[in-house]
Amino acid sequence: GAVVSQHPSWVICKSGTSVKIECRSLDFQATTMFWYRQFPKQSLMLMATSNEGSKATYEQGVEKDKFLINHASLTLSTLTVTSAHPEDSSFYICSAGGGNNQPQHFGDGTRLSIL
Amino acid sequence: LAKTTQPISMDSYEGQEVNITCSHNNIATNDYITWYQQFPSQGPRFIIQGYKTKVKNEVASLFIPADRKSSTLSLPRVSLSDTAVYYCLVALNRDDKIIFGKGTRLHILP
C-alpha cells in the first residue's frame, strides 16, 4: 500500500535553531500534502496544505514565516520550523493522498523538542 | 467540511466486540467516511473506508445507515493491542484537507 515516510523521527535542539522535517511519498506522487501538529493527549491540528509547485496554504493562526513549507517535487514536502523556541516543541505529522478515492496516508511523525 | 462527533472514551475487555459510533450530520453527497487508529507517538493508521451500507476488511467492519449521518466502526474480539485513539473522518477525496475531531480513546482491559 501507499507509504509516507517522515524524517527525522525525533530531534532535540537548542532554542533559536531552525529545524527541517521531510515528508516523502514513497510509491506514489502527491501534488498535495498536509502538515499537522499534535500536542500530548490532543487531536491532530492541521497547520497547512502543501501544494507542489506553488505556495502552501496555511490555516488560520499558523505563522507562515515561522513554519516554512516547500513542496518542490511530487514526492517531497519539507516543513522548516524557523528560530524554534520551546513552545514549538510538539509532534509534527504529514499526510498525502494515495490515489483517486483512496484515503490519505500519514507519516509516523517527528517529535521535536526545543531546549 | 463535515464535522464529526464521537464518544471521548470507551473501555472494553479483551475478546469483546467494540462498536464506536460517529455522528456526521452534515456529510456531503460525495464524502467518504474513513476511520483511523493512532498509537502514542505514531501517525494515524488507516483502518477502513466506506461510502454507504457495510464494508468489511480483515481488521474491522464499517456500518453506514442509509442517511449516512452516522457510521459505526466495529472491532471484533479486541485485544490489549487495540488500545488506541480512533478517529472518524469525512472527506471528499485524497486531496481534501481533513479536520480531525477529538477522536475516541479506546482502552482495552485484560
Side-chain angles (χ1 to χ4, degrees):
Chain A
V3 178
V4 174
S5 175
Q6 257 184 267
H7 178 81
S9 56
W10 60 271
V11 59
I12 302 173
C13 57
K14 294 181 179 180
S15 184
T17 305
S18 291
V19 179
K20 179 185 286 187
I21 303 170
E22 294 186 347
C23 179
R24 294 181 184 273
S25 55
L26 297 185
D27 54 359
F28 65 99
Q29 294 181 332
T31 55
T32 305
M33 293 184 176
F34 302 92
W35 288 96
Y36 299 83
R37 180 167 53 181
Q38 186 175 33
F39 293 106
K41 302 292 186 182
Q42 294 187 22
S43 184
L44 284 76
M45 183 179 70
L46 180 65
M47 299 175 65
T49 302
S50 174
N51 304 300
E52 189 270 334
S54 64
K55 293 182 178 180
T57 305
Y58 291 83
E59 295 299 303
Q60 189 173 8
V62 178
E63 299 177 57
K64 62 180 181 180
D65 295 330
K66 175 74 170 178
F67 300 99
L68 299 179
I69 291 173
N70 183 275
H71 194 154
S73 78
L74 288 171
T75 60
L76 174 64
S77 175
T78 61
L79 169 68
T80 301
V81 183
T82 62
S83 187
H85 292 283
E87 58 266 28
D88 298 321
S89 297
S90 189
F91 191 53
Y92 292 86
I93 307 169
C94 71
S95 75
N100 289 329
N101 294 327
Q102 296 298 308
Q104 290 187 21
H105 295 273
F106 290 80
D108 276 337
T110 297
R111 175 74 57 192
L112 175 62
S113 296
I114 308 299
L115 305 178
Chain B
L1 295 172
K3 180 181 177 180
T4 60
T5 304
Q6 307 171 231
I8 294 297
S9 66
M10 294 179 65
D11 289 342
S12 188
Y13 292 91
E14 280 191 292
Q16 298 293 309
E17 177 184 81
V18 172
N19 296 311
I20 306 174
T21 296
C22 176
S23 171
H24 29 79
N25 290 320
N26 59 339
I27 187 171
T29 301
N30 295 328
D31 282 344
Y32 278 76
I33 300 158
T34 311
W35 285 79
Y36 289 88
Q37 175 193 56
Q38 187 183 27
F39 297 112
S41 297
Q42 294 186 26
R45 184 173 70 98
F46 170 79
I47 301 175
I48 197 166
Q49 179 177 264
Y51 183 80
K52 62 180 179 180
T53 62
K54 177 182 175 181
V55 180
K56 184 178 180 180
N57 61 23
E58 63 276 8
V59 298
S61 296
L62 179 60
F63 299 92
I64 306 169
D67 66 5
R68 304 200 328 120
K69 293 184 182 299
S70 67
S71 59
T72 298
L73 173 72
S74 181
L75 304 173
R77 296 182 297 281
V78 293
S79 64
L80 295 176
S81 62
D82 292 316
T83 294
V85 179
Y86 292 80
Y87 294 99
C88 159
L89 302 170
V90 174
L92 174 59
N93 60 41
R94 65 186 171 119
D95 290 335
D96 267 5
K97 67 177 183 180
I98 296 175
I99 304 299
F100 278 76
K102 296 183 185 300
T104 297
R105 192 170 296 274
L106 177 64
H107 187 202
I108 305 302
L109 304 168

